[in-house]
Amino acid sequence: MNNFEYANPVKIVFGKGQIQRLPELIPAGAKILMTYGGGSIKKNGVYDQVVKALENFDVVEFGGIEPNPQYSTLMKAVEIVKNQSIDFLLSVGGGSTLDGTKFIAAASKYQGEDPWDILAKGAPITDALPLADVITLPATGSEMNCLAVVSKKETTEKLAFGSPYVFPKFSIIDPTVTFSLPPRQVANGIVDTFIHVVEQYVTQPQHATLQDRQAEAIMLALVEEAPKLKENPNDYDVRANLFWMATQALNGWLNVGVLQCWATHNIGHELTAQLGVDHGQSLALVLPGVWKSQRKEKGDKIRQLGRRVFGINEPDPEKAVDLTIEATKNFFRSVGIDASREAYGVTDQVIKNIADLIDSRGVKFGDRANIDGAKIIEILNLCD
Amino acid sequence: MNNFEYANPVKIVFGKGQIQRLPELIPAGAKILMTYGGGSIKKNGVYDQVVKALENFDVVEFGGIEPNPQYSTLMKAVEIVKNQSIDFLLSVGGGSTLDGTKFIAAASKYQGEDPWDILAKGAPITDALPLADVITLPATGSEMNCLAVVSKKETTEKLAFGSPYVFPKFSIIDPTVTFSLPPRQVANGIVDTFIHVVEQYVTQPQHATLQDRQAEAIMLALVEEAPKLKENPNDYDVRANLFWMATQALNGWLNVGVLQCWATHNIGHELTAQLGVDHGQSLALVLPGVWKSQRKEKGDKIRQLGRRVFGINEPDPEKAVDLTIEATKNFFRSVGIDASREAYGVTDQVIKNIADLIDSRGVKFGDRANIDGAKIIEILNLCD
């Protein structure tokens, strides 16, 4: 096991009716910028609940943060923060709104010339506005980590940053708000959760027995609970379980002391940047290609996943890998995501563009840092 | 799933050589009280490492904190804190030293008349000295929680308290320091870890799929790793895995949103208070009795544990419970703990004393609060 540090101070406030506790959770007298997305919170009652809870606070609203939050949009919020002396950010929405709000928090206190450098050059963050959230979509786990992904349409870039300064002070998770989510978003979130676990698990055997079992715990629970949604989408416990899984899949807990391979996310982000493919769907498309291409390097962990999560007891090692890939795709299909290169418009030209872009950045993906442009072409050609 | 809050700010600094990072982790200029136990840290080199790392700090030493730390000892440390203007506590040792140090931290800032009230009456804690630790024994999980247990020999009491103010600021876990531990302490720690998980898991089915799987993850990893110690006690990864399991078994993660049953600990504490039985051994003795006595209430979860952790696929429900109890006792035996009423001196008179004591306090144990003095007699008579 490698040496590691782990610290995650986020206070999780989980359950029915927790939104009304906002006044006790936010510092008294705070001047709040309330950020949100395209307005779904106005349809499902969350907006009204939050506004009512904040009636004794000074609140400025900033709506319109897009899925895959755009740098230009977020910089408008940074202007408001500065002009109106905002001292607390409250994100009300899904992972995109929260990721965007984390960037607003960091950019508002950024001392350098161009806040885009936080994403493009990993410019150091030395301070940020305090932020918190009411999270409405189980998917990204952003509610319990210090990571964010921001996009720039003009340059088809989608880049990540992380800093302990952007941990939410608290995250309110009320599973009842997910009852009204569109099935496509729910399905995307389930796939995102599964693949967050995979990217911290399907690497190389490292004698990290507990981390392995904990990753499998989330996948086993996901495979058990997700199918129940069809029968009874308003089952509170099913929704609560699924939300808690999403939160834990990316709170830093699974990857302590072990290698990680974020190749599926790295390549998926490029598909979203180029073609606007939903994040979850881009992942569902790419993962089987990564596994097929890396079947030698990742075979041991793929087989362990197949055996322990899907109960595959195939003695032939190559067949066991194939069966695990098929079981994983079937799981994605069972929740409603049947990923397809053709449907998403992933042409040979798009693939070449992505490969060239990655090579031009000089980065290589994966826990062995062996996935370059040529490998990306191989991977995407191995996808359905 | 029940509503819950979770917040755990402890910074874990895990791995080889981490003790030398103390100077960057402790606030500059702190006046430190370094607490430790009976002196084993002077034999295994930990004391020298810590003293060297702290050479530029003003350090007062306080050794001699006992296993099952005694109130009278700890109050001597509180005097030193007050007389010498100590502003940071560093615990160097196992869970007893750390629990004791948590009590010193709270008692040093306690405004009421008698700090024993923190334990006996749950008197509220509104402040505490900052504390941190170098933890040397995988067992109690004290390094990542805000709980502590303190004893009073004079009145044969062993009582617990908890407060967010006594979360360690950081915990250094260097698994190499466990190479020199006596086998008995290692075995006690493994049993303690297992039973911490059990007390948060063997209650009633509650449709908390993820919490169940996460509890099973620790038990599965424990059952896989613990036997490896015999073959190779100096295998770093085995030691690292076991330590990380102990930390996670009681960091609050497993019990969010679910019931808990601490009956085995509650009764075990009384055996330790009355007879001085090692904590781990008291638990190994009591657990089978609790399960036998509560086989109706806890049967579903006992069977689930048997099936998923020990691979018991017995269709008869009563036999499945019996087989799970036997497998659990065999696991304890395999790590070197063969608990016995006779060997520990648990006579009929001792049992009666404990039952009377619990009834006199007016408390009932268990997730159904149905374990009173009479049930305790039944439970202890069902133990080996």
Side-chain angles (χ1 to χ4, degrees):
Chain A
M1 206 185 297
N2 298 329
N3 282 8
F4 67 84
E5 278 188 29
Y6 181 85
N8 188 325
V10 179
K11 177 176 187 155
I12 297 291
V13 183
F14 191 102
K16 294 170 190 167
Q18 301 282 32
I19 292 172
Q20 67 194 30
R21 294 183 53 204
L22 277 169
E24 63 176 281
L25 295 164
I26 296 178
K31 182 160 184 188
I32 302 168
L33 185 70
M34 172 183 165
T35 56
Y36 54 93
S40 64
I41 60 166
K42 292 193 177 169
K43 290 178 202 148
N44 63 15
V46 173
Y47 175 87
D48 290 338
Q49 284 187 67
V50 171
V51 166
K52 184 166 186 305
L54 297 181
E55 61 189 356
N56 292 321
F57 286 85
D58 190 355
V59 181
V60 178
E61 291 187 24
F62 184 83
I65 297 180
E66 313 84 345
N68 306 306
Q70 293 295 318
Y71 178 70
S72 56
T73 305
L74 304 175
M75 288 309 293
K76 286 177 199 154
V78 171
E79 279 310 298
I80 295 172
V81 166
K82 289 181 177 171
N83 293 338
Q84 304 206 31
S85 306
I86 299 290
D87 54 20
F88 196 90
L89 304 176
L90 181 69
S91 166
V92 183
S96 290
T97 298
L98 180 49
D99 278 16
T101 304
K102 288 176 178 175
F103 183 76
I104 297 167
S108 296
K109 294 276 190 176
Y110 184 65
Q111 299 294 324
E113 266 186 33
D114 183 0
W116 182 249
D117 289 348
I118 293 170
L119 295 149
K121 298 182 183 169
I125 293 164
T126 55
D127 198 5
L129 269 190
L131 69 104
D133 61 276
V134 176
I135 187 84
T136 58
L137 180 69
T140 68
S142 189
E143 63 273 18
M144 203 176 177
N145 66 42
C146 63
L147 309 171
V149 181
V150 174
S151 296
K152 211 178 196 177
K153 218 177 272 175
E154 305 79 8
T155 53
T156 59
E157 284 170 288
K158 180 173 174 177
L159 299 171
F161 82 100
S163 160
Y165 288 99
V166 299
F167 272 120
K169 298 298 173 196
F170 63 83
S171 293
I172 293 179
I173 303 174
D174 179 346
T176 63
V177 310
T178 67
F179 289 166
S180 62
L181 284 172
R184 172 169 154 174
Q185 282 192 27
V186 175
N188 283 340
I190 290 169
V191 170
D192 200 17
T193 299
F194 190 90
I195 296 182
H196 284 158
V197 178
V198 164
E199 306 254 44
Q200 301 168 87
Y201 171 87
V202 179
T203 56
Q204 310 162 38
Q206 292 162 89
H207 196 173
T209 306
L210 181 56
Q211 288 90 324
D212 278 3
R213 290 287 185 187
Q214 289 179 314
E216 292 152 10
I218 298 181
M219 291 188 284
L220 282 162
L222 201 56
V223 168
E224 183 175 337
E225 292 299 316
K228 297 179 187 170
L229 271 184
K230 273 189 201 155
E231 295 273 309
N232 195 352
N234 289 345
D235 183 314
Y236 176 81
D237 281 332
V238 172
R239 294 284 189 173
N241 271 285
L242 289 171
F243 218 138
W244 195 221
M245 290 173 214
T247 303
Q248 300 210 33
L250 198 55
N251 67 1
W253 209 234
L254 297 181
N255 65 46
V256 295
V258 297
L259 294 168
Q260 304 175 61
C261 171
W262 287 93
T264 298
H265 269 72
N266 296 136
I267 301 171
H269 283 178
E270 298 305 325
L271 290 175
T272 300
Q274 298 281 332
L275 302 167
V277 182
D278 286 2
H279 177 57
Q281 303 200 20
S282 76
L283 303 177
L285 178 73
V286 174
L287 182 71
V290 170
W291 284 2
K292 285 178 190 169
S293 164
Q294 303 265 304
R295 62 188 305 141
K296 195 166 154 242
E297 295 91 335
K298 295 188 186 298
D300 288 330
K301 291 305 278 289
I302 295 172
R303 281 185 287 270
Q304 183 174 309
L305 189 162
R307 196 167 59 247
R308 295 187 180 173
V309 177
F310 293 116
I312 293 167
N313 289 309
E314 165 60 50
D316 179 83
E318 292 308 317
K319 276 189 201 159
V321 168
D322 291 334
L323 288 171
T324 303
I325 292 172
E326 209 43 52
T328 303
K329 283 159 69 175
N330 282 338
F331 172 62
F332 297 159
R333 285 185 198 116
S334 76
V335 300
I337 294 196
D338 198 359
S340 145
R341 251 193 310 163
E342 197 182 336
Y344 302 158
V346 185
T347 61
D348 289 349
Q349 187 58 49
V350 168
I351 294 174
K352 189 175 178 309
N353 289 352
I354 291 173
D356 289 347
L357 197 64
I358 298 306
D359 281 342
S360 77
R361 287 194 206 134
V363 293
K364 291 184 183 179
F365 299 145
D367 55 295
R368 297 170 195 259
N370 63 354
I371 299 175
D372 58 6
K375 275 277 170 202
I376 289 170
I377 293 174
E378 178 184 307
I379 286 167
L380 287 171
N381 279 320
L382 285 166
C383 296
D384 283 341
Chain B
M1 204 184 298
N2 298 329
N3 283 7
F4 66 84
E5 278 188 27
Y6 182 85
N8 188 325
V10 180
K11 177 175 187 156
I12 298 290
V13 183
F14 190 103
K16 295 171 190 166
Q18 300 283 32
I19 293 173
Q20 67 194 30
R21 293 182 53 203
L22 277 169
E24 63 176 281
L25 294 165
I26 296 178
K31 183 163 183 186
I32 303 166
L33 185 71
M34 172 182 164
T35 56
Y36 53 93
S40 64
I41 59 165
K42 293 192 176 170
K43 290 177 201 146
N44 63 16
V46 172
Y47 175 87
D48 290 338
Q49 283 185 67
V50 171
V51 167
K52 185 166 184 303
L54 298 181
E55 61 189 357
N56 293 322
F57 286 84
D58 190 355
V59 181
V60 177
E61 291 186 25
F62 184 82
I65 297 179
E66 314 84 346
N68 306 306
Q70 292 296 318
Y71 178 70
S72 56
T73 305
L74 304 175
M75 289 308 293
K76 286 178 198 154
V78 171
E79 278 311 297
I80 294 172
V81 166
K82 289 182 177 170
N83 292 338
Q84 304 207 30
S85 306
I86 298 291
D87 55 20
F88 196 91
L89 304 176
L90 181 69
S91 166
V92 183
S96 290
T97 298
L98 179 49
D99 278 15
T101 304
K102 288 176 179 176
F103 183 76
I104 297 166
S108 296
K109 295 275 189 177
Y110 184 66
Q111 300 294 323
E113 263 185 35
D114 183 0
W116 182 248
D117 289 348
I118 293 171
L119 295 148
K121 298 182 184 170
I125 293 163
T126 55
D127 197 6
L129 269 189
L131 68 103
D133 61 276
V134 176
I135 188 82
T136 58
L137 180 69
T140 69
S142 190
E143 62 274 17
M144 203 174 178
N145 66 40
C146 62
L147 309 170
V149 182
V150 173
S151 296
K152 211 179 197 178
K153 215 176 273 174
E154 305 79 6
T155 53
T156 60
E157 285 172 287
K158 180 174 175 177
L159 299 171
F161 82 101
S163 161
Y165 289 100
V166 299
F167 271 121
K169 299 297 173 195
F170 63 83
S171 294
I172 293 179
I173 303 174
D174 179 345
T176 62
V177 310
T178 67
F179 288 166
S180 62
L181 283 172
R184 173 169 154 175
Q185 284 193 27
V186 174
N188 283 340
I190 289 169
V191 170
D192 200 18
T193 299
F194 190 91
I195 296 181
H196 284 159
V197 178
V198 164
E199 306 253 45
Q200 302 167 87
Y201 171 87
V202 178
T203 55
Q204 310 163 37
Q206 293 162 88
H207 196 173
T209 307
L210 181 56
Q211 288 90 323
D212 278 4
R213 291 287 186 184
Q214 289 179 314
E216 293 153 8
I218 298 181
M219 291 188 284
L220 281 163
L222 203 54
V223 168
E224 183 176 337
E225 292 298 316
K228 296 179 187 169
L229 270 185
K230 273 189 201 155
E231 296 272 309
N232 194 352
N234 289 344
D235 183 313
Y236 176 80
D237 281 331
V238 172
R239 295 284 190 173
N241 271 285
L242 289 171
F243 217 138
W244 194 221
M245 290 173 215
T247 303
Q248 300 209 32
L250 198 54
N251 66 2
W253 209 234
L254 297 182
N255 65 46
V256 294
V258 298
L259 294 167
Q260 304 175 60
C261 170
W262 287 91
T264 298
H265 269 73
N266 296 136
I267 302 171
H269 283 178
E270 298 305 326
L271 290 176
T272 300
Q274 298 281 331
L275 302 167
V277 181
D278 286 2
H279 176 57
Q281 302 199 21
S282 76
L283 303 177
L285 179 73
V286 175
L287 181 72
V290 171
W291 283 2
K292 285 178 190 168
S293 166
Q294 303 265 305
R295 61 188 306 139
K296 195 167 153 240
E297 296 90 336
K298 295 187 185 300
D300 288 331
K301 293 303 282 285
I302 295 171
R303 282 184 286 270
Q304 183 174 309
L305 189 162
R307 197 166 58 247
R308 295 186 180 172
V309 176
F310 293 116
I312 293 167
N313 290 309
E314 165 61 48
D316 180 82
E318 293 307 317
K319 276 190 200 159
V321 168
D322 292 333
L323 288 171
T324 304
I325 292 171
E326 210 41 53
T328 303
K329 284 159 70 176
N330 281 338
F331 172 62
F332 297 159
R333 286 186 197 116
S334 77
V335 300
I337 293 194
D338 197 359
S340 146
R341 252 194 309 164
E342 197 183 336
Y344 303 158
V346 185
T347 61
D348 289 349
Q349 188 56 51
V350 168
I351 293 174
K352 188 174 179 310
N353 290 351
I354 291 173
D356 289 347
L357 196 64
I358 297 306
D359 282 342
S360 77
R361 286 193 205 134
V363 292
K364 292 185 182 179
F365 299 144
D367 56 296
R368 297 169 195 261
N370 64 353
I371 299 176
D372 58 5
K375 275 280 171 200
I376 289 171
I377 293 173
E378 178 185 307
I379 286 167
L380 287 172
N381 279 320
L382 286 165
C383 297
D384 283 339

